[in-house]
Amino acid sequence: MEAEYRGRFAPSPTGPLHAGSLVAALASWLDARAHQGRWLVRIEDVDTPRCVPGAGQTILEQLAQCGLLPDEPPAYQSQRGALYQQALDSLVARGLAYPCGCTRQDIARALAASGQPRERHGELVYPGTCRDGLHGRSARAWRLDTRAPASTNWQDRRLGPQSQDVAREVGDFVLKRADGLWAYQLAVVVDDAAQGITDIVRGEDLADNTARQILLQRALGLPLPRYLHTPLVLGENGEKLSKQNGAQALDTSQPLALLRQAAAVLGLPPGIDADTPQDWLRQAVPLWAVRLKISR
Ligand code: GLU
């Protein structure tokens, strides 16, 4: 028998919900309901310098005003450090993760010396300097050794077959940061497994992280979830709408209008006649099932 469907919405509380994050929330909720599954919310408050006090609570209230209520009490990553430490310890014990003493300048210098300065989304591709030891320096961050598999292939329910050579394109990525904070990649993988998440539905801007997360799931011996990356809402400048580029907080006094806008981004047909968000959502579930070819 297939495992019971468990989905989640996992916002970082760096500000209130905006039109882009509501699309991801709605898609993950609809997908869970269309599969008669459960829907969880996890507040990803690990990157504490970027978190805004109270934003997690605001997001939960905004979701509730749109009729999106989690089936279990929300989890907070800031309370789950012990689980992340256990995962890191197990990777280190098996030689799959290692301490790194490099500063950004060290990495830039090593890349320049190799004649191959490489960057990806503004991040330097780590050249593996500390894989064979710290060279007398002290540990700053902890990284995953990505050398073993060549390419990681995965299937996205909307984007189709995907492939990334993590070692070449990203390098040994950080699991625990030099400032002592847990990296998103480790926290998200540990939590999805600990919460029994079978299906990850989130914005397409996160698709690029998936190969890294699959490498970590394999290294930790965790089950692999299915993935669906949803279309992004673009701002006036054509870039993805995000809290960083000043997306407006949602005015949840008009939840039906917000749900209709989000549904249009997801390609759902218009025309649901409803008086309350709950009624609108109930009618949207079968439309989602048809669009995603989910048999019910
Ligand atoms: N916390 C991440 C964000 O808000 C999303 C994590 C995920 O859905 O995997 O960008």
Side-chain angles (χ1 to χ4, degrees):
M1 210 182 88
E2 258 188 63
E4 180 207 23
Y5 182 111
R6 286 170 69 83
R8 60 22 168 220
F9 173 55
S12 304
T14 52
L17 209 60
H18 58 75
S21 41
L22 180 63
V23 169
L26 175 61
S28 61
W29 186 92
L30 287 171
D31 203 51
R33 288 292 173 266
H35 285 92
Q36 284 102 37
R38 291 173 80 75
W39 185 70
L40 278 57
V41 174
R42 183 172 68 234
I43 304 293
E44 300 214 315
D45 53 354
V46 265
D47 190 354
T48 37
R50 287 184 53 229
C51 292
V52 172
Q57 191 52 36
T58 305
I59 292 173
L60 291 168
E61 285 163 14
Q62 290 175 299
L63 290 171
Q65 280 151 357
C66 293
L68 302 172
L69 295 170
D71 295 320
E72 293 174 17
Y76 288 81
Q77 287 193 324
S78 54
Q79 297 167 8
R80 300 167 68 85
L83 280 179
Y84 312 145
Q85 187 66 54
Q86 254 174 32
L88 178 61
D89 290 347
S90 111
L91 292 169
V92 173
R94 288 173 296 127
L96 299 173
Y98 61 88
C100 169
C102 297
T103 60
R104 256 189 85 79
Q105 286 94 323
D106 293 333
I107 300 172
R109 237 179 277 129
L111 285 172
S114 72
Q116 292 184 309
R118 281 193 286 142
E119 237 186 72
R120 182 182 177 82
H121 306 310
E123 283 288 319
L124 298 171
V125 173
Y126 186 64
T129 319
C130 295
R131 272 180 194 152
D132 57 355
L134 282 164
H135 306 282
R137 293 173 303 186
S138 41
R140 292 167 52 82
W142 291 78
R143 294 181 183 272
L144 186 77
D145 189 333
T146 55
R147 271 174 302 180
S151 292
T152 302
N153 300 316
W154 57 281
Q155 186 71 26
D156 186 89
R157 288 167 57 202
R158 172 173 156 261
L159 303 172
Q162 307 287 312
S163 179
Q164 187 178 65
D165 180 341
V166 177
R168 197 176 55 80
E169 295 178 49
V170 184
D172 292 356
F173 55 91
V174 171
L175 303 173
K176 190 174 192 183
R177 300 173 7 177
D179 56 10
L181 296 177
W182 294 104
Y184 156 63
Q185 309 293 354
L186 181 71
V188 80
V189 159
V190 168
D191 281 339
D192 283 332
Q195 296 187 288
I197 301 300
T198 58
D199 284 77
I200 291 176
V201 178
R202 61 186 177 189
E204 192 176 327
D205 54 321
L206 293 164
D208 185 63
N209 295 284
T210 307
R212 269 171 277 180
Q213 294 170 9
I214 291 173
L215 283 189
L216 262 176
Q217 285 154 357
R218 290 198 187 128
L220 289 164
L222 301 174
L224 305 187
R226 295 196 302 170
Y227 288 94
L228 168 61
H229 288 89
T230 57
L232 301 180
V233 178
L234 301 182
E236 277 169 19
N237 57 1
E239 282 178 14
K240 175 191 93 107
L241 199 62
S242 72
K243 290 164 229 175
Q244 285 71 38
N245 71 14
Q248 297 287 311
L250 288 180
D251 172 8
T252 40
S253 65
Q254 306 284 335
L256 280 169
L258 297 178
L259 289 170
R260 290 195 170 105
Q261 276 164 22
V265 175
L266 293 169
L268 292 184
I272 297 178
D273 181 19
D275 293 330
T276 62
Q278 289 73 15
D279 187 20
W280 186 95
L281 286 165
R282 194 179 44 73
Q283 296 184 58
V285 173
L287 301 179
W288 176 265
V290 169
R291 178 147 176 79
L292 273 292
K293 303 191 177 63
I294 298 164
S295 47
R296 313 175 70 218

